[in-house]
Amino acid sequence: MYLIGLTGGIASGKSTVARRLVEHGAIHLDADQLARRVVEPGTTCLQAIVDEFGEDVLRSDGTLDRQRLGEIVFGDDEARARLNAIVHPAVRELSGRLIAKAEQEDPDAVIVYDVPLLVEAQVDHPFDLVVVTSAPKRAQVKRLVEERGLDPIQAEARVDAQVGDAERRAVADVVIDTGGTIAHTMSQADALWVDIERTRHAKHG
């Protein structure tokens, strides 16, 4: 099995790179989706969030009101740390299980684990390769406004709230520059796949 950790700032082209690697045959795990799964109704994780932040974070149907919770923790480092202490271990445990399952089903699997908060959450899976997508701040803000409908001030706050690019680059084995066209991003992902295949064959060969 070959495990790639894929990370990058908000709207930095992670999903484009992940999609391209999946087209080449990789298995995609998305930390954001796992974070939703661990807080579904009936989970101990959701109960812990309610115990910590109150019933107000639940919608009337018993699901987590992510927007309400986001408002509580956004801009409050201490509250965010308390939330992360509940969610991150649960996501780590679930991702560990899914990675093990994928390896069992195919010992030669290439798994792309897409973790926006790889640096912040100190995700410590034994990655073979850490790939960071990097775009200039103005490109990230523009994408958030155009593709996700945020207003420019909100978009800028979102980008600024994250770990700086330098800290991500410090953990990167490979940096993919996503500031240009989608075709340019794709061709870098293609080149990365060729390198990965070469590395794996060298190991086995």
Side-chain angles (χ1 to χ4, degrees):
M1 180 193 69
Y2 192 88
L3 183 60
I4 303 166
L6 173 65
T7 192
I10 192 166
S12 69
K14 278 190 306 299
S15 49
T16 304
V17 171
R19 245 194 331 269
R20 191 60 167 182
L21 295 175
V22 168
E23 283 169 15
H24 285 296
I27 293 166
H28 183 215
L29 285 181
D30 181 339
D32 280 346
Q33 285 176 356
L34 303 189
R36 287 195 176 89
R37 275 176 62 181
V38 299
V39 297
E40 282 170 359
T43 57
T44 51
C45 203
L46 180 60
Q47 189 53 54
I49 291 171
V50 172
D51 293 345
E52 187 66 55
F53 296 100
E55 297 280 341
D56 286 355
V57 298
L58 289 181
R59 291 205 187 90
S60 54
D61 62 358
T63 57
L64 181 63
D65 188 336
R66 296 173 69 88
Q67 199 175 350
R68 175 87 192 88
L69 183 61
E71 285 162 9
I72 294 171
V73 302
F74 194 72
D76 181 342
D77 288 345
E78 198 230 345
R80 190 160 60 227
R82 296 204 316 269
L83 176 63
N84 289 344
I86 296 168
V87 177
H88 288 166
V91 171
R92 220 177 340 234
E93 196 265 333
L94 177 58
S95 58
R97 281 210 316 267
L98 292 173
I99 290 166
K101 180 171 175 274
E103 182 175 22
Q104 234 175 351
E105 286 168 6
D106 177 8
D108 286 333
V110 176
I111 298 170
V112 178
Y113 186 25
D114 177 347
V115 192
L117 301 176
L118 186 106
V119 176
E120 298 90 323
Q122 290 156 345
V123 178
D124 52 2
H125 290 303
F127 293 113
D128 293 289
L129 192 72
V130 172
V131 177
V132 171
T133 53
S134 177
K137 179 178 165 181
R138 63 174 186 280
Q140 290 174 272
V141 170
K142 186 167 177 278
R143 286 171 195 164
L144 285 172
V145 171
E146 289 174 3
E147 294 165 22
R148 303 193 199 174
L150 295 185
D151 71 52
I153 291 164
Q154 267 183 321
E156 204 146 319
R158 280 289 181 83
V159 174
D160 288 343
Q162 296 196 312
V163 157
D165 234 24
E167 287 166 80
R168 281 198 204 89
R169 284 170 177 265
V171 301
D173 299 307
V174 175
V175 175
I176 292 186
D177 166 28
T178 61
T181 61
I182 284 208
H184 181 233
T185 299
M186 296 272 202
S187 66
Q188 292 173 83
D190 292 342
L192 172 65
W193 184 263
V194 171
D195 281 349
I196 289 166
E197 289 293 85
R198 199 178 294 132
T199 307
R200 294 169 71 215
H201 290 312
K203 257 190 200 169
H204 295 314

